[in-house]
Amino acid sequence: MKRLVVIGAGMASGRMLEHLFEREAGYEVTLFGAEPRGNYNRIMLSPVLSGEKSYDEIVTHDADWYAGNGVTCRFGERVEGVDPDRKVVVTASGETAYDKLVIATGSDPFIIPVPGADLPGVMAYRDLDDVERMQGYAAKGGRAVVIGGGLLGLEAAAGLKARGMDVTVVHLAGHLMERQLDPAAGYLLERELRSRGIEVLTEANTAELRGTDHVEAVLLKDGRIIETDMVCMAVGIRPACALGREAGLAVNRGIVVDDAMVTSDPDVLALGECVEHRGQLFGLVAPLYDQAKVAAATLAGEAAAFDPPQVSTKLKVTGVDLFSAGDFAEGEDREEIVFRDAARGVYKRLVLEEDRIVGVVMYGETADGAWFLDKLRSREDISDGRDTLIFGPNFAGGAPVDPMAAVAALPDDAEICGCNGVSKGTIMAAIAGGAGSLAEVTALTKASTSCGSCAGLTAQVVALGLGDGFVIPAEAGMCGCTDHTHEDVRRLIVADGMKAIPEVMQKLHWKSSGGCAKCRPALNYYLLCAWPEEYADHAQSRFINERVHANIQKDGTYSVVPRMWGGITTPDELRAIADAADKYAVPTVKVTGGQRIDLLGVQKEDLPAIWADLNAAGMVSGHAYAKGLRTVKTCVGTDHCRFGTQDSTGLGIRIEKALWGAWSPHKFKLAVSGCPRNCAEATCKDFGVVCVSEGYQLHVGGAAGMEVKPTQLLCTVATEDEAVEYCAAFYQLYREGARYLDRPWKWIDRVGLDHVKEKVVEDAESREALAARFFHSQTFFQHDPWAERANGKDAHEFMPMADLTRVAAE
Amino acid sequence: MSDFVDIGHLDDIPPEGARVVKTPLGCIAVFRTSEDEVFALDDRCPHKGGPLSNGIQHGRSVTCPLHNWVISLETGQAEGADEGSVATWAVKVEGGRILLDRSRFSRAVAAE
């Protein structure tokens, strides 16, 4: 009998032994295993953790099986080395000789090397010991943090939650399971986990684990601290290839094997997670089983070759249906078919290349996963059944998806027309009561009869109520990514409580998976306007100027404009500006039309430093780059002018201090003139004040850009306080109602000045509410972005990633 | 022959963001997509030289910040009605590290 020694009693070597014994190849087998037990189904550890299965149920090879096949089991005995020259394996108890050796040492969990990683209470999620340790903590209740929102981490989190712990998942990437899921499916998964009471933190980078003699808290790099009783690290695995390396075998990231699973030594085979085959590592079980088959054949002297199969992933969390396979990245030569059913939380995406499926992501409904995987593996040409492909095998020729699903999914109390307080239920009731056309419904309910911006949405609800035969009047969508208009998207964001860009794209059936340069900045704005306190600004959906808080110039340099409140400056500020211009070799210093000073031609890398200098002199960002509050231009007013009727400079500064930092659909420029001579040119601004002896004329909707528009008079008020309140209310009405990139005049053209007057002038309650919403929002946005960046925020925006100029020259 | 050099970690670039690598042949923009793919292109739009690293990224494309040309990250070709292309650079990710093929500019420097 030939002597076969196997190091590692895991799933790969277990399967290999099964194949080998079937062949009766004549080996006497000695099996070493680091764990004090035989082979069990490691994939089923999660159900054991959650309590849905017991250890006995997941054992694959018990003592009888080993005995029946004559395997000498040496479990719990550590292999210290291999000597391929003398063909022996070394352990504490001596040497064991072999004719053939199989290394199946698997992988080690990766422990992030942060301070505190070695504290008691910090564990990996790899074997039954880890599971038993976690169950011990769970029995005491309390809190758990799982670091890593991948497959394993989420299973651990769900298991711990099921055992009664309060669980927080800390995940480095922007969405969960980013290797298997695209952002839309990642969002659905996150929502599902949240609804189960699992807290999910994405883009969360662990800095340190804290505690004295036991872990007590996780500190994130952004300063957040999460108190906890235990930490489970599930951030990834590394091939355990130390034995192979020390034995002198060829090792890259894993032990290198050829197609027959033979290492660089002809008598040593390797398989499982410890190997590297054609540069690839393996972590899922399907390819491991294929390797086991090949290794058994090789040992039996048969020719066999391992060909890595296309694998799919399923998350083993009860009640979460999720399937992913293949490559689902976008590409120019790739097309995608996306199916979204927001109401049921179903998302399916097929990625096609040359009429073949190359990737599948499914969430919420995964029954057809195997069918798609089969087509992916066989590289079947799908051009024939393409129209109904996404519906799976049972729906070929079925009805197309309902384009109004998002409207249909709205609850009855969802607000459709804000002006008139009309809900979806009101419209449906009108139709049930006999209204048979859009005109009848709007006449009855008053929906969309005021500002009209909800006309599209109202029509959709009417269509839903009236059913077939009603054709919605066509209006262009926001961009090529959606048929919804700007107004509908804004309204649906509020009505449905959507709070993230992927969520909007998912629920409103976006036709592209990542949006475009037109819709992403618009969505980012709509969300931050709707949810100032909750929405997390998405920098990568902002135009570069707003991302780096300066204006990009034609040569890639930037211009820097510090704020000068109401156009007033001081000798000290001017000296600081002059010093900064010298220090950073600013080529052009220019006075702007908005009464301040522009430093043009600053290098991007210098921005945080020049801001720090200007901050030190008391100056903040002028937001000259922003779709937001720009300047309040003023004349000198009663302080010096013989014609001045009011303190126009003082009012200008007061308004600027109230409004600065706000974001809006487009830039927002103001002016305050001290008398009707109007030296501050207030009547071509978005909002202009002309002081008169009896008070303040408020003018709106002017512009002096691509289009020159004189303002229209909104009203006249008696006091400065009123001027500020009306101004804030007008700005908020514009912020909440306008399409992204529409200046106020364009928005007023759409909704009518009467609508503005009604909301800002005639209805005091409405005006107060608008102003209150504006000032509430301001509490979140009045922070100098320059100071934040001078202190290190977003440093990656300003610094090159690497400088290879010198390295290469050496 | 390719000559890959480590330029940093994948996490040094935010998803859907880009960073610049300075080289003797000018700046290279290194992009990370939402799917964690990495692409490298000359940081100069074929239209008027705009820094593509500053653009908004969507799918496997970037929109130039100066005049909204849309450039394919894979091919460097302008998309839609515009015509032009920008040089692409071989780049790969291994174990979270981003590796850039510098053979072209190391040759260019050696030839000087």
Side-chain angles (χ1 to χ4, degrees), chain A residues 679-704:
Chain A
C679 292
E681 299 164 343
T683 49
C684 63
K685 299 296 180 199
D686 298 291
F687 186 94
V689 181
V690 176
C691 300
V692 288
S693 51
E694 64 272 24
Y696 306 83
Q697 292 176 347
L698 307 182
H699 299 259
V700 298

PDB file of all heavy atoms in Angstrom, chain A residues 679-704:
ATOM      1  N   CYS A 679     -28.045 101.836  -7.306  1.00  0.00           N
ATOM      2  CA  CYS A 679     -26.629 101.662  -7.649  1.00  0.00           C
ATOM      3  C   CYS A 679     -26.173 100.208  -7.507  1.00  0.00           C
ATOM      4  O   CYS A 679     -25.209  99.793  -8.141  1.00  0.00           O
ATOM      5  CB  CYS A 679     -25.757 102.549  -6.768  1.00  0.00           C
ATOM      6  SG  CYS A 679     -25.994 104.292  -7.142  1.00  0.00           S
ATOM      7  N   ALA A 680     -26.832  99.422  -6.668  1.00  0.00           N
ATOM      8  CA  ALA A 680     -26.430  98.021  -6.496  1.00  0.00           C
ATOM      9  C   ALA A 680     -27.070  97.122  -7.557  1.00  0.00           C
ATOM     10  O   ALA A 680     -26.866  95.909  -7.543  1.00  0.00           O
ATOM     11  CB  ALA A 680     -26.800  97.529  -5.092  1.00  0.00           C
ATOM     12  N   GLU A 681     -27.824  97.725  -8.483  1.00  0.00           N
ATOM     13  CA  GLU A 681     -28.427  96.985  -9.608  1.00  0.00           C
ATOM     14  C   GLU A 681     -29.292  95.821  -9.110  1.00  0.00           C
ATOM     15  O   GLU A 681     -29.216  94.686  -9.594  1.00  0.00           O
ATOM     16  CB  GLU A 681     -27.331  96.490 -10.571  1.00  0.00           C
ATOM     17  CG  GLU A 681     -26.552  97.662 -11.157  1.00  0.00           C
ATOM     18  CD  GLU A 681     -25.229  97.281 -11.805  1.00  0.00           C
ATOM     19  OE1 GLU A 681     -24.731  96.166 -11.531  1.00  0.00           O
ATOM     20  OE2 GLU A 681     -24.692  98.084 -12.575  1.00  0.00           O
ATOM     21  N   ALA A 682     -30.110  96.131  -8.104  1.00  0.00           N
ATOM     22  CA  ALA A 682     -30.900  95.087  -7.445  1.00  0.00           C
ATOM     23  C   ALA A 682     -31.990  94.505  -8.341  1.00  0.00           C
ATOM     24  O   ALA A 682     -32.488  93.406  -8.087  1.00  0.00           O
ATOM     25  CB  ALA A 682     -31.530  95.631  -6.160  1.00  0.00           C
ATOM     26  N   THR A 683     -32.359  95.225  -9.406  1.00  0.00           N
ATOM     27  CA  THR A 683     -33.499  94.782 -10.212  1.00  0.00           C
ATOM     28  C   THR A 683     -33.109  93.847 -11.345  1.00  0.00           C
ATOM     29  O   THR A 683     -33.895  93.605 -12.257  1.00  0.00           O
ATOM     30  CB  THR A 683     -34.269  95.993 -10.765  1.00  0.00           C
ATOM     31  OG1 THR A 683     -33.322  96.892 -11.354  1.00  0.00           O
ATOM     32  CG2 THR A 683     -35.022  96.713  -9.666  1.00  0.00           C
ATOM     33  N   CYS A 684     -31.872  93.320 -11.315  1.00  0.00           N
ATOM     34  CA  CYS A 684     -31.546  92.214 -12.227  1.00  0.00           C
ATOM     35  C   CYS A 684     -30.941  91.064 -11.425  1.00  0.00           C
ATOM     36  O   CYS A 684     -30.120  90.314 -11.913  1.00  0.00           O
ATOM     37  CB  CYS A 684     -30.627  92.670 -13.358  1.00  0.00           C
ATOM     38  SG  CYS A 684     -29.030  93.233 -12.801  1.00  0.00           S
ATOM     39  N   LYS A 685     -31.371  90.948 -10.158  1.00  0.00           N
ATOM     40  CA  LYS A 685     -30.867  89.867  -9.307  1.00  0.00           C
ATOM     41  C   LYS A 685     -31.979  88.831  -9.086  1.00  0.00           C
ATOM     42  O   LYS A 685     -33.154  89.086  -9.329  1.00  0.00           O
ATOM     43  CB  LYS A 685     -30.440  90.428  -7.940  1.00  0.00           C
ATOM     44  CG  LYS A 685     -29.327  91.461  -8.027  1.00  0.00           C
ATOM     45  CD  LYS A 685     -28.047  90.849  -8.557  1.00  0.00           C
ATOM     46  CE  LYS A 685     -26.939  91.894  -8.630  1.00  0.00           C
ATOM     47  NZ  LYS A 685     -25.861  91.468  -9.535  1.00  0.00           N
ATOM     48  N   ASP A 686     -31.570  87.673  -8.541  1.00  0.00           N
ATOM     49  CA  ASP A 686     -32.571  86.656  -8.208  1.00  0.00           C
ATOM     50  C   ASP A 686     -33.501  87.184  -7.124  1.00  0.00           C
ATOM     51  O   ASP A 686     -34.687  86.883  -7.118  1.00  0.00           O
ATOM     52  CB  ASP A 686     -31.868  85.384  -7.726  1.00  0.00           C
ATOM     53  CG  ASP A 686     -31.003  84.797  -8.814  1.00  0.00           C
ATOM     54  OD1 ASP A 686     -31.561  84.301  -9.801  1.00  0.00           O
ATOM     55  OD2 ASP A 686     -29.754  84.866  -8.703  1.00  0.00           O
ATOM     56  N   PHE A 687     -32.917  87.933  -6.226  1.00  0.00           N
ATOM     57  CA  PHE A 687     -33.722  88.602  -5.192  1.00  0.00           C
ATOM     58  C   PHE A 687     -33.076  89.957  -4.944  1.00  0.00           C
ATOM     59  O   PHE A 687     -31.893  90.032  -4.625  1.00  0.00           O
ATOM     60  CB  PHE A 687     -33.742  87.774  -3.901  1.00  0.00           C
ATOM     61  CG  PHE A 687     -34.667  88.304  -2.839  1.00  0.00           C
ATOM     62  CD1 PHE A 687     -35.970  87.836  -2.732  1.00  0.00           C
ATOM     63  CD2 PHE A 687     -34.248  89.303  -1.947  1.00  0.00           C
ATOM     64  CE1 PHE A 687     -36.839  88.330  -1.752  1.00  0.00           C
ATOM     65  CE2 PHE A 687     -35.112  89.799  -0.974  1.00  0.00           C
ATOM     66  CZ  PHE A 687     -36.410  89.306  -0.875  1.00  0.00           C
ATOM     67  N   GLY A 688     -33.849  91.037  -5.117  1.00  0.00           N
ATOM     68  CA  GLY A 688     -33.268  92.369  -4.942  1.00  0.00           C
ATOM     69  C   GLY A 688     -34.130  93.202  -4.010  1.00  0.00           C
ATOM     70  O   GLY A 688     -35.357  93.082  -3.994  1.00  0.00           O
ATOM     71  N   VAL A 689     -33.456  94.024  -3.197  1.00  0.00           N
ATOM     72  CA  VAL A 689     -34.180  94.926  -2.309  1.00  0.00           C
ATOM     73  C   VAL A 689     -33.870  96.349  -2.763  1.00  0.00           C
ATOM     74  O   VAL A 689     -32.703  96.699  -2.948  1.00  0.00           O
ATOM     75  CB  VAL A 689     -33.730  94.753  -0.843  1.00  0.00           C
ATOM     76  CG1 VAL A 689     -34.529  95.691   0.068  1.00  0.00           C
ATOM     77  CG2 VAL A 689     -33.881  93.301  -0.407  1.00  0.00           C
ATOM     78  N   VAL A 690     -34.909  97.132  -2.976  1.00  0.00           N
ATOM     79  CA  VAL A 690     -34.703  98.555  -3.235  1.00  0.00           C
ATOM     80  C   VAL A 690     -35.313  99.324  -2.067  1.00  0.00           C
ATOM     81  O   VAL A 690     -36.522  99.242  -1.819  1.00  0.00           O
ATOM     82  CB  VAL A 690     -35.359  98.985  -4.568  1.00  0.00           C
ATOM     83  CG1 VAL A 690     -35.206 100.503  -4.753  1.00  0.00           C
ATOM     84  CG2 VAL A 690     -34.725  98.238  -5.737  1.00  0.00           C
ATOM     85  N   CYS A 691     -34.455 100.040  -1.334  1.00  0.00           N
ATOM     86  CA  CYS A 691     -34.940 100.765  -0.167  1.00  0.00           C
ATOM     87  C   CYS A 691     -35.639 102.048  -0.624  1.00  0.00           C
ATOM     88  O   CYS A 691     -35.179 102.734  -1.536  1.00  0.00           O
ATOM     89  CB  CYS A 691     -33.763 101.142   0.743  1.00  0.00           C
ATOM     90  SG  CYS A 691     -32.845  99.724   1.325  1.00  0.00           S
ATOM     91  N   VAL A 692     -36.765 102.306  -0.003  1.00  0.00           N
ATOM     92  CA  VAL A 692     -37.488 103.555  -0.246  1.00  0.00           C
ATOM     93  C   VAL A 692     -37.783 104.149   1.129  1.00  0.00           C
ATOM     94  O   VAL A 692     -37.619 103.462   2.147  1.00  0.00           O
ATOM     95  CB  VAL A 692     -38.793 103.305  -1.046  1.00  0.00           C
ATOM     96  CG1 VAL A 692     -38.456 102.945  -2.487  1.00  0.00           C
ATOM     97  CG2 VAL A 692     -39.619 102.217  -0.408  1.00  0.00           C
ATOM     98  N   SER A 693     -38.226 105.418   1.147  1.00  0.00           N
ATOM     99  CA  SER A 693     -38.344 106.057   2.457  1.00  0.00           C
ATOM    100  C   SER A 693     -39.360 105.340   3.346  1.00  0.00           C
ATOM    101  O   SER A 693     -39.198 105.280   4.560  1.00  0.00           O
ATOM    102  CB  SER A 693     -38.707 107.535   2.293  1.00  0.00           C
ATOM    103  OG  SER A 693     -39.824 107.647   1.426  1.00  0.00           O
ATOM    104  N   GLU A 694     -40.419 104.710   2.735  1.00  0.00           N
ATOM    105  CA  GLU A 694     -41.430 104.046   3.574  1.00  0.00           C
ATOM    106  C   GLU A 694     -41.094 102.576   3.866  1.00  0.00           C
ATOM    107  O   GLU A 694     -41.862 101.904   4.550  1.00  0.00           O
ATOM    108  CB  GLU A 694     -42.824 104.158   2.943  1.00  0.00           C
ATOM    109  CG  GLU A 694     -43.009 103.467   1.628  1.00  0.00           C
ATOM    110  CD  GLU A 694     -42.645 104.358   0.428  1.00  0.00           C
ATOM    111  OE1 GLU A 694     -41.858 105.311   0.583  1.00  0.00           O
ATOM    112  OE2 GLU A 694     -43.145 104.061  -0.665  1.00  0.00           O
ATOM    113  N   GLY A 695     -39.968 102.077   3.342  1.00  0.00           N
ATOM    114  CA  GLY A 695     -39.646 100.686   3.656  1.00  0.00           C
ATOM    115  C   GLY A 695     -38.761 100.040   2.600  1.00  0.00           C
ATOM    116  O   GLY A 695     -37.799 100.647   2.127  1.00  0.00           O
ATOM    117  N   TYR A 696     -39.127  98.796   2.232  1.00  0.00           N
ATOM    118  CA  TYR A 696     -38.250  97.988   1.384  1.00  0.00           C
ATOM    119  C   TYR A 696     -39.073  97.315   0.286  1.00  0.00           C
ATOM    120  O   TYR A 696     -39.978  96.534   0.575  1.00  0.00           O
ATOM    121  CB  TYR A 696     -37.551  96.921   2.229  1.00  0.00           C
ATOM    122  CG  TYR A 696     -36.808  97.489   3.418  1.00  0.00           C
ATOM    123  CD1 TYR A 696     -37.470  97.770   4.607  1.00  0.00           C
ATOM    124  CD2 TYR A 696     -35.443  97.770   3.329  1.00  0.00           C
ATOM    125  CE1 TYR A 696     -36.799  98.313   5.695  1.00  0.00           C
ATOM    126  CE2 TYR A 696     -34.761  98.321   4.405  1.00  0.00           C
ATOM    127  CZ  TYR A 696     -35.441  98.592   5.596  1.00  0.00           C
ATOM    128  OH  TYR A 696     -34.776  99.133   6.660  1.00  0.00           O
ATOM    129  N   GLN A 697     -38.751  97.660  -0.981  1.00  0.00           N
ATOM    130  CA  GLN A 697     -39.390  96.945  -2.092  1.00  0.00           C
ATOM    131  C   GLN A 697     -38.633  95.638  -2.319  1.00  0.00           C
ATOM    132  O   GLN A 697     -37.404  95.652  -2.450  1.00  0.00           O
ATOM    133  CB  GLN A 697     -39.309  97.774  -3.378  1.00  0.00           C
ATOM    134  CG  GLN A 697     -40.128  99.036  -3.359  1.00  0.00           C
ATOM    135  CD  GLN A 697     -39.917  99.845  -4.637  1.00  0.00           C
ATOM    136  OE1 GLN A 697     -38.990  99.577  -5.412  1.00  0.00           O
ATOM    137  NE2 GLN A 697     -40.776 100.823  -4.853  1.00  0.00           N
ATOM    138  N   LEU A 698     -39.370  94.531  -2.396  1.00  0.00           N
ATOM    139  CA  LEU A 698     -38.729  93.229  -2.628  1.00  0.00           C
ATOM    140  C   LEU A 698     -38.988  92.808  -4.074  1.00  0.00           C
ATOM    141  O   LEU A 698     -40.140  92.690  -4.493  1.00  0.00           O
ATOM    142  CB  LEU A 698     -39.282  92.181  -1.658  1.00  0.00           C
ATOM    143  CG  LEU A 698     -39.224  92.580  -0.174  1.00  0.00           C
ATOM    144  CD1 LEU A 698     -39.746  91.436   0.691  1.00  0.00           C
ATOM    145  CD2 LEU A 698     -37.815  92.980   0.257  1.00  0.00           C
ATOM    146  N   HIS A 699     -37.928  92.617  -4.841  1.00  0.00           N
ATOM    147  CA  HIS A 699     -38.024  92.254  -6.256  1.00  0.00           C
ATOM    148  C   HIS A 699     -37.482  90.844  -6.448  1.00  0.00           C
ATOM    149  O   HIS A 699     -36.486  90.473  -5.824  1.00  0.00           O
ATOM    150  CB  HIS A 699     -37.210  93.228  -7.098  1.00  0.00           C
ATOM    151  CG  HIS A 699     -37.671  94.647  -7.008  1.00  0.00           C
ATOM    152  ND1 HIS A 699     -38.439  95.236  -7.974  1.00  0.00           N
ATOM    153  CD2 HIS A 699     -37.477  95.587  -6.042  1.00  0.00           C
ATOM    154  CE1 HIS A 699     -38.689  96.492  -7.618  1.00  0.00           C
ATOM    155  NE2 HIS A 699     -38.121  96.734  -6.450  1.00  0.00           N
ATOM    156  N   VAL A 700     -38.107  90.069  -7.334  1.00  0.00           N
ATOM    157  CA  VAL A 700     -37.658  88.680  -7.523  1.00  0.00           C
ATOM    158  C   VAL A 700     -37.555  88.318  -9.001  1.00  0.00           C
ATOM    159  O   VAL A 700     -38.197  88.946  -9.855  1.00  0.00           O
ATOM    160  CB  VAL A 700     -38.611  87.679  -6.836  1.00  0.00           C
ATOM    161  CG1 VAL A 700     -38.660  87.895  -5.334  1.00  0.00           C
ATOM    162  CG2 VAL A 700     -40.014  87.761  -7.433  1.00  0.00           C
ATOM    163  N   GLY A 701     -36.743  87.314  -9.268  1.00  0.00           N
ATOM    164  CA  GLY A 701     -36.724  86.700 -10.593  1.00  0.00           C
ATOM    165  C   GLY A 701     -35.961  87.473 -11.645  1.00  0.00           C
ATOM    166  O   GLY A 701     -36.244  87.349 -12.828  1.00  0.00           O
ATOM    167  N   GLY A 702     -34.962  88.235 -11.245  1.00  0.00           N
ATOM    168  CA  GLY A 702     -34.137  88.909 -12.239  1.00  0.00           C
ATOM    169  C   GLY A 702     -32.905  88.087 -12.566  1.00  0.00           C
ATOM    170  O   GLY A 702     -32.548  87.149 -11.857  1.00  0.00           O
ATOM    171  N   ALA A 703     -32.264  88.426 -13.671  1.00  0.00           N
ATOM    172  CA  ALA A 703     -31.015  87.761 -14.030  1.00  0.00           C
ATOM    173  C   ALA A 703     -30.289  88.629 -15.023  1.00  0.00           C
ATOM    174  O   ALA A 703     -30.903  89.358 -15.796  1.00  0.00           O
ATOM    175  CB  ALA A 703     -31.293  86.392 -14.630  1.00  0.00           C
ATOM    176  N   ALA A 704     -28.960  88.570 -14.986  1.00  0.00           N
ATOM    177  CA  ALA A 704     -28.174  89.303 -15.976  1.00  0.00           C
ATOM    178  C   ALA A 704     -27.083  88.380 -16.471  1.00  0.00           C
ATOM    179  O   ALA A 704     -25.911  88.660 -16.398  1.00  0.00           O
ATOM    180  CB  ALA A 704     -27.596  90.569 -15.359  1.00  0.00           C
TER     181      ALA A 704
END
